């Protein structure tokens, strides 16, 4: 599941490599990107997609996407593993803003504008032209999605793996390591916040390794 300001489009390069390797994939567009939906709304979309898959399924969550995935997986019965890719592996009662020590009370804005310099923030190791094309596709993010706390955390009952992006400028490595301590396994990739664009082959190989080690597992990833 994609992160804030993004959409399912960001997985296209990675999905192409995974398909070549024999994996079936599905992506989801979270309504908080480009709308005013909250975590629970996003989680219902994720859960609805999971319910259409026989499973078992490995769910890959990037950045903000880790929050609704944690909520949704707690209600799904077909997930064999959650992979948090530089993602927010929050616990019950936590919100994105709260994790960073920011006030979680309602603010004056309904949406959070696309950050300044998204190329440098998200795509530091992506070829410039491709990074600019990706940045042009970003949309405002629901402010509510950053404030909403989790009411369930699926990683307590479903095995999880964390992938730390070592050159990340969006979610600092120190924060990722704090979150990764909640996972059962931790891997590292030397990339910016968006290895699905900068290193799709390396990321696909790592996800394949993780999925094959997740038993029971069919050739599906999400």
């Amino acid at each position: 599941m994609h992160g804030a300001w993004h959409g399912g489009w960001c997985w296209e390069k990675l999905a192409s490599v995974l398909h070549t390797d024999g994996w079936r994939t599905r992506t989801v567009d979270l309504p908080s990107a480009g709308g005013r939906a909250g975590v629970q709304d996003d989680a219902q979309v994720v859960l609805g997609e999971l319910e259409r898959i026989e499973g078992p399924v490995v769910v890959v969550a990037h950045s903000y996407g880790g929050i609704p995935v944690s909520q949704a997986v707690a209600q799904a019965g077909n997930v064999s593993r959650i992979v948090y890719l530089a993602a927010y592996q929050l616990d019950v009662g936590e919100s994105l803003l709260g994790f960073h020590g920011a006030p979680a009370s309602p603010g004056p804005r309904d949406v959070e504008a696309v950050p300044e310099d998204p190329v440098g923030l998200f795509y530091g190791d992506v070829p410039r032209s491709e990074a600019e094309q990706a940045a042009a596709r970003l949309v405002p993010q629901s402010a509510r999605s950053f404030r909403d706390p989790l009411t369930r955390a699926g990683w307590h009952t479903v095995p999880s793996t964390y992938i730390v992006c070592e050159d990340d400028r969006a979610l600092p490595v120190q924060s990722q390591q704090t979150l990764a301590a909640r996972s059962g396994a931790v891997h590292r990739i030397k990339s910016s916040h968006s290895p699905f664009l900068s290193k799709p082959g390396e990321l696909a190989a790592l996800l394949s390794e993780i999925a094959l080690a997740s038993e029971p597992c069919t050739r599906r990833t999400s």
Side-chain angles (χ1 to χ4, degrees):
M1 307 303 160
H2 63 80
W5 301 290
H6 287 70
W9 56 264
C10 71
W11 300 110
E12 290 170 359
K13 284 181 69 175
L14 176 65
S16 178
V17 178
L18 289 170
H19 290 167
T20 299
D21 291 342
W23 294 96
R24 287 172 285 175
T25 68
R26 295 194 189 188
T27 59
V28 172
D29 289 315
L30 299 176
S32 61
R36 289 170 172 75
V39 167
Q40 298 298 328
D41 303 299
D42 285 344
Q44 284 304 307
V45 171
V46 175
L47 181 60
E49 189 65 30
L50 289 174
E51 288 175 341
R52 286 188 282 273
I53 302 173
E54 292 183 7
V57 61
V58 174
V59 182
V60 181
H62 178 243
S63 198
Y64 161 78
I67 303 174
V69 161
S70 293
Q71 181 78 34
V73 168
Q75 304 170 71
N78 60 343
V79 177
S80 61
R81 182 166 293 271
I82 312 168
V83 179
Y84 291 93
L85 175 64
Y88 287 90
Q89 187 170 352
L90 301 185
D91 208 344
V92 174
E94 294 181 335
S95 67
L96 186 150
L97 290 178
F99 174 77
H100 290 291
S105 58
R109 298 185 299 274
D110 289 331
V111 297
E112 295 290 341
V114 175
E116 294 184 14
D117 188 24
V119 170
L121 188 64
F122 300 135
Y123 316 123
D125 58 349
V126 178
R128 184 75 187 189
S129 61
E130 184 180 353
E132 290 176 347
Q133 290 174 12
R137 301 182 73 173
L138 300 178
V139 296
Q141 177 74 16
S142 165
R144 179 180 157 202
S145 66
F146 291 167
R147 299 191 301 260
D148 285 353
L150 277 186
T151 61
R152 301 184 183 188
W155 54 268
H156 282 294
T157 54
V158 175
S160 62
T161 296
Y162 202 99
I163 301 176
V164 175
C165 293
E166 294 183 325
D167 295 331
D168 199 328
R169 295 181 183 178
L171 184 56
V173 172
Q174 184 175 357
S175 296
Q176 291 183 59
Q177 290 175 162
T178 298
L179 294 162
R182 298 172 171 178
S183 274
V186 180
H187 296 269
R188 308 177 77 89
I189 186 169
K190 191 168 181 58
S191 77
S192 68
H193 193 57
S194 306
F196 40 81
L197 293 178
S198 63
K199 297 186 175 182
E202 183 177 342
L203 179 58
L206 178 55
L207 291 175
S208 295
E209 175 188 334
I210 293 168
L212 289 171
S214 302
E215 296 293 344
C217 181
T218 58
R219 295 188 76 73
R220 298 177 185 262
T221 187
S222 176

